[in-house]
Amino acid sequence: LTAADSTMQANISKKRKFVADGVFYAELNELLTRELAEEGYAGVEVRVTPMRTEIIIRATRTQNVLGEKGRRIRELTSVVQKRFAFTDGAVELYAERVANKGLCAQAQAESLKYKLIGGLAVRRACYGVLRFIMESGAKGAEVIVSGKLRAQRAKAMKFQDGYMIKTGAVAEMYVDKAVRHVLMRQGVLGVVVEIMLPHDPTGKMGPKTPLSDVIQIVEPKDEPVMSMPVDEPPAMGGY
């Protein structure tokens, strides 16, 4: 939420607030995607606190995001502050390193983009990215490159490995997707990277919620063997 919007918070409707937040996030994400492409930009998180708005930038090369003596991050803070009319000290930018870049679709899409711009063959670049993703512990991966690949005629190439879910709520939870546009000499190439994340009970590497069709059979406990009571013969004799 911007400083201008926060003064009108009492009057603004819920619907307008959510739309304003969405537009703010979209514009911020677009700015950072263009500005920090070479630093391995992998997404942004906005946290609004009563004191200030915190913007956490996730990237693979955080040192380059911060810049020399924090100069780059201060420049970005100034740009965001002026564009969205924040007061001094009302917005703070932080850089956070991506824990496992092999499981981050945005980081891998950027990596593939720069490989293609550098002139690497499409098949080699895609198979390299695919192998790196699978070696990082992903359940499955898919890379699609479409456009003028070699000849004048445009076509699409799809590379797949592992297990990939396409539909349902599980796909939204487990699949990380990123789209990038590569400006080549002969035209624009479209790059789509989809990564099926592994299940992680801690929630660090992947979702905590297990897949609904994964069944775990628990071994039964060893029951203690009960000794049968021995019937005593009836007493014989008098009274």
Side-chain angles (χ1 to χ4, degrees), residues 126-176:
C126 292
Y127 277 125
V129 167
L130 209 59
R131 190 172 66 250
F132 182 72
I133 292 168
M134 294 305 291
E135 285 172 358
S136 298
K139 268 198 163 179
E142 182 178 282
V143 177
I144 304 170
V145 180
S146 60
K148 291 185 190 174
L149 301 174
R150 279 283 179 195
Q152 195 62 24
R153 179 83 178 193
K155 63 175 180 176
M157 293 174 79
K158 187 185 281 188
F159 305 88
Q160 293 172 312
D161 196 1
Y163 176 60
M164 178 69 68
I165 287 179
K166 294 283 186 179
T167 57
V170 179
E172 291 179 14
M173 194 189 307
Y174 270 84
V175 179
D176 188 18

Side-chain angles (χ1 to χ4, degrees), residues 13 17 37 57 62 74 78 88 96 104-105 119 128 150 170 177-178 191 195 230:
S13 71
K17 180 188 176 296
I57 301 165
T62 47
R74 284 199 301 273
S78 176
D88 285 342
E96 181 182 278
C104 176
R150 279 283 179 195
V170 179
K177 183 178 178 180
V191 170
I195 299 172
V230 180

Side-chain angles (χ1 to χ4, degrees), residues 189-203:
L189 294 182
V191 170
V192 180
V193 176
E194 289 189 25
I195 299 172
M196 175 92 174
L197 301 170
H199 167 61
D200 183 11
T202 61

Side-chain angles (χ1 to χ4, degrees), residues 31 77 89 190:
L31 166 73
T77 306

